[in-house]
Every structure is written in structure tokens, then in C-alpha cells.
Amino acid sequence: FVALGLTALVALLSLRAPVRAAPGLRATLATRAVTSPAAACVGRAARAARSVRVAARVGRKDFLLAGAISAGLAATNGARAERDAPFTGTTPVEMLVPGQKSKQRTDLYVLMKAKIGEKVSSPYTSVMQLVLLDAITRDKETKTGGLDGSVQYELDSLGLPGLKSTVSELKSAQQAINAEWPSEDKLTFTDVMIFAGYLKTAQAFSKALSSRSTNGGGATIAAGFGNPFPIPTLGRDDASSSTGLAAPKTLEEMVARMKALGLQTRDIAALALAMPGSEDLEKVEADLSAIDGKIKGAIQAAQQSRRTVTQNSYQVNVGEAYFKLVNTLGPKVKPLAYYYPAPKFDISKVKLKQLEAASEWHAMDNSGTMGQWDNAAGTMGQCMGR
């Protein structure tokens, strides 16, 4: 609307020659309320106006003025129409436009961030351990297992009962989110766990950068040099029992499983923070280095990066490895998960106030070329709504 209004202003200011047919057009547009611009309809109105231009031998500047007035009214009245317009029915999820989907997804992320912040007090390493152990149960041959939340049923057999409290916190966050989110399908434990792993790790990384200075410069470093950490895709189902392969119980078995599932040396080194015992990250990294020489080299590079001000390569590698982990080791996600029908804007029911000078201008509109301009402007009015 702002762009259309500026276009109208520039066109009007640029005209210096007398205008012959403009009053009739202005009269018609004053009595026909334009509600919202529609590109296809504007094309029809333009073609109608073109035919009038030929018949009346209207100059090029006259035609520009006609378009300027139309655009100006669309810009000023259209915004008010969309603000005050009624809504009738809903747009089904499968017909939502990208802007509607983006708005809903952003709102969901904000809600998830708030509820996870309230309910989940476990360190990010505990959440990441759940995600990694769940992911590497994926059986490529049978296409079962992977990220489906089944790790919660295996904690005793893995000798990790301490992670049960983290599971309980994640379930509390899940319930709180579902109590407020309006979609028909409710968020699964798996998606809440994955998002919590992303969120708490990204927050920990930002805090690490902020702590690089004691005089307030750390906040500037975090804001200006924060490293990208991709948001994971949502839309997974939950398993009701253990699925896929049994989770490995030793570090050696875990490394072998991760290699078999396609994770590279750099990925394994980056995901050391998600392995059991990663509360003491340097010890886990030392144990990994003893297993594989290539992993040792990647870990040395990661440790060197962590000593820098921005920790750039280390944090970027963790973000990329996590994104690969959660988007390749599990069932396919449902692309329309957690969206909900949006109110449908009913443009036919919009009513706009007529301009005060409508009757005065209309009295000038009697016949001939002015009437033809009425027809052209009428096409615009029908297209844009009354």
C-alpha cells in the first residue's frame, strides 16, 4: 500500500499539462469504494481505460493520472478495509499461504521457547544425550527406529536412570505447549525433545560468547558474532515402545553405530557434547580420541576453536552435525504438522465510507467520454470490491 501511494504521489507531481478526462474518473472513484488491490483485476481495468484513451484521444499524461488516482485510493482505502474487514469461515491448513504458515511457525517457536524455559531445568547436555541416543537406534535396513521418542523406554537398560528427570521435564513442557497451541494435532514428545536440544544448546553457546569479556563486551560479541544454529524441522510421531536397533551401551559401540549411519568424523567430534558423560566434555573427548585417530584430529581442532573469542568453527560444526542428526535419522516428518485453519478474509463484505465530495464530483459526470471513463473506473471498482 505504501508503494502504491508513493507511485500515485510521484505520478501526480510529475504532471504539468492540463488534464481533460480526469474529473469523470475522479468522480467515479470517489463513489466506488476500493477495498484492496488485486493485480489481475487491475489489468482488466487498465484494458478498459486503454480503449477509452483511444476513443477520446486522451494524452499519455491523462492516462497516468487515472492510474495514479486509482493507486492512491487503493493505498489509502485498502489498508483501512483490511483492518476493519470481517472474517467469514476459515482457510483449511492445506490451503494456507506461505505467509500464514511462517507466522504460525514463528508463534509456535516463541511458545515452545517460553514453556521449555519454564519447565526444563536440566543442562543442555542431558537433553542432547536423549536426542543422540534416540537417533542412533535407526535401522536403515528395516527403516525403523531413530528419532521417535523411544529412548525414554530404554534408560534403565542403558544404565542412565538419571535422564528420567529430564524426560519428565520435557513432558511437562509438552503438556504446557499443547494446552495453549490451537492445532488439532498436538506436539509430540519427540519434537519437544529435539527443539529443546536445539534451544538449550544455542543458548549455552550464546552464553559462552557473552562470558568472553567482563566489561560488557561479551554481550556485543554474542550479538555481533553469534554463530548460526539451524532450527530443526518439526512433525514427528511418538513411538509407544522401543523401536529399531538397541541403543549402544559403550562409547566404542556408539562411534561404530554413528559411522554406520553415515555421520562423518567431524560430526562425531562435534557431537561429543551429546554423548553420555558429556557433563565432563574434555574426558569424553579424550576417550573418543583414544578410539580413533581421525576423530582425535577433529577434536583437537574443536578444542582450539573453543579457545577463540567467537568459537566459530566449533559452534558451526555442532549446529550442522545436530541438524544432520535430527533430519536424517528418523521417520519422515509431516510437513503440515501443528498448523491450524486461519480466519478467511471475506472481501465481499467490506464496507468503506464514501468520500465527502462524492456527490459533487458525480454531478459533473453526465455523458460521452466521462461516462466511458466511468465504465473503466467501474471495472476497477468491481475488481477491487465496493
Side-chain angles (χ1 to χ4, degrees):
F1 293 135
V2 173
L4 287 171
L6 290 175
T7 302
L9 180 61
V10 171
L12 287 170
L13 293 177
S14 65
L15 299 179
R16 292 188 296 271
V19 179
R20 293 184 292 276
L25 177 60
R26 290 157 65 183
T28 303
L29 291 179
T31 58
R32 302 178 190 271
V34 180
T35 60
S36 177
C41 296
V42 170
R44 293 200 296 272
R47 288 193 293 273
R50 191 179 300 115
S51 65
V52 178
R53 178 183 172 226
V54 173
R57 291 185 173 85
V58 179
R60 179 173 179 271
K61 292 184 178 180
D62 302 61
F63 190 68
L64 285 174
L65 178 60
I69 295 173
S70 301
L73 283 174
T76 56
N77 291 342
R80 186 171 69 248
E82 293 197 13
R83 183 186 66 229
D84 300 333
F87 292 87
T88 301
T90 57
T91 300
V93 169
E94 58 272 15
M95 296 183 66
L96 294 175
V97 299
Q100 291 172 310
K101 290 182 177 180
S102 177
K103 175 64 167 56
Q104 290 189 20
R105 219 25 138 217
T106 300
D107 290 344
L108 177 57
Y109 292 153
V110 171
L111 177 62
M112 294 179 74
K113 178 181 178 181
K115 298 306 178 184
I116 290 171
E118 292 174 9
K119 304 293 184 179
V120 182
S121 59
S122 296
Y124 76 95
T125 52
S126 296
V127 183
M128 292 288 275
Q129 287 174 38
L130 288 173
V131 176
L132 178 60
L133 290 169
D134 200 30
I136 61 177
T137 62
R138 183 67 173 172
D139 187 334
K140 282 190 170 183
E141 293 185 2
T142 62
K143 296 182 179 180
T144 58
L147 283 162
D148 57 11
S150 61
V151 66
Q152 61 186 301
Y153 308 116
E154 302 182 30
L155 295 178
D156 285 331
S157 64
L158 290 172
L160 298 171
L163 292 179
K164 287 184 177 180
S165 60
T166 304
V167 170
S168 297
E169 292 173 356
L170 291 170
K171 287 188 174 181
S172 294
Q174 177 192 4
Q175 292 174 356
I177 295 166
N178 285 331
E180 296 186 23
W181 189 246
S183 65
E184 183 177 347
D185 53 337
K186 298 305 180 181
L187 271 81
T188 61
F189 170 80
T190 307
D191 278 333
V192 174
M193 174 183 69
I194 290 170
F195 189 86
Y198 147 78
L199 176 66
K200 292 184 75 68
T201 303
Q203 290 173 337
F205 281 0
S206 179
K207 184 177 179 180
L209 296 188
S210 297
S211 66
R212 302 312 244 183
S213 173
T214 58
N215 60 1
T220 302
I221 294 173
F225 300 95
N227 299 300
F229 201 122
I231 299 176
T233 307
L234 302 178
R236 296 166 184 80
D237 289 325
D238 280 340
S240 57
S241 61
S242 298
T243 61
L245 301 172
K249 297 181 179 181
T250 67
L251 200 59
E252 290 83 356
E253 292 175 349
M254 185 171 290
V255 170
R257 179 74 60 80
M258 294 172 75
K259 289 181 178 180
L261 289 172
L263 294 173
Q264 304 299 312
T265 298
R266 189 180 70 176
D267 301 325
I268 297 171
L271 291 172
L273 54 71
M275 297 181 183
S278 57
E279 293 80 8
D280 186 348
L281 181 57
E282 291 188 359
K283 181 180 185 308
V284 171
E285 289 180 331
D287 293 340
L288 284 172
S289 298
I291 294 173
D292 188 303
K294 291 183 178 179
I295 294 178
K296 179 180 180 180
I299 286 175
Q300 289 175 340
Q303 292 173 337
Q304 181 177 356
S305 176
R306 286 205 300 269
R307 289 191 289 268
T308 64
V309 173
T310 61
Q311 299 188 354
N312 182 261
S313 63
Y314 171 68
Q315 292 192 7
V316 168
N317 288 347
V318 171
E320 291 178 350
Y322 188 73
F323 192 77
K324 181 188 295 186
L325 183 77
V326 300
N327 285 292
T328 61
L329 301 183
K332 291 183 179 180
V333 300
K334 297 176 293 185
L336 296 180
Y338 314 136
Y339 291 111
Y340 57 88
K344 182 185 296 183
F345 180 77
D346 190 348
I347 198 170
S348 68
K349 295 184 179 297
V350 177
K351 301 296 182 183
L352 295 176
K353 293 182 179 180
Q354 294 182 338
L355 300 177
E356 293 180 357
S359 59
E360 178 183 350
W361 279 109
H362 190 66
M364 299 173 60
D365 214 5
N366 296 318
S367 60
T369 304
M370 299 306 171
Q372 296 182 49
W373 274 110
D374 274 351
N375 293 334
T379 303
M380 176 73 78
Q382 293 170 5
C383 293
M384 311 297 259
R386 294 179 180 274

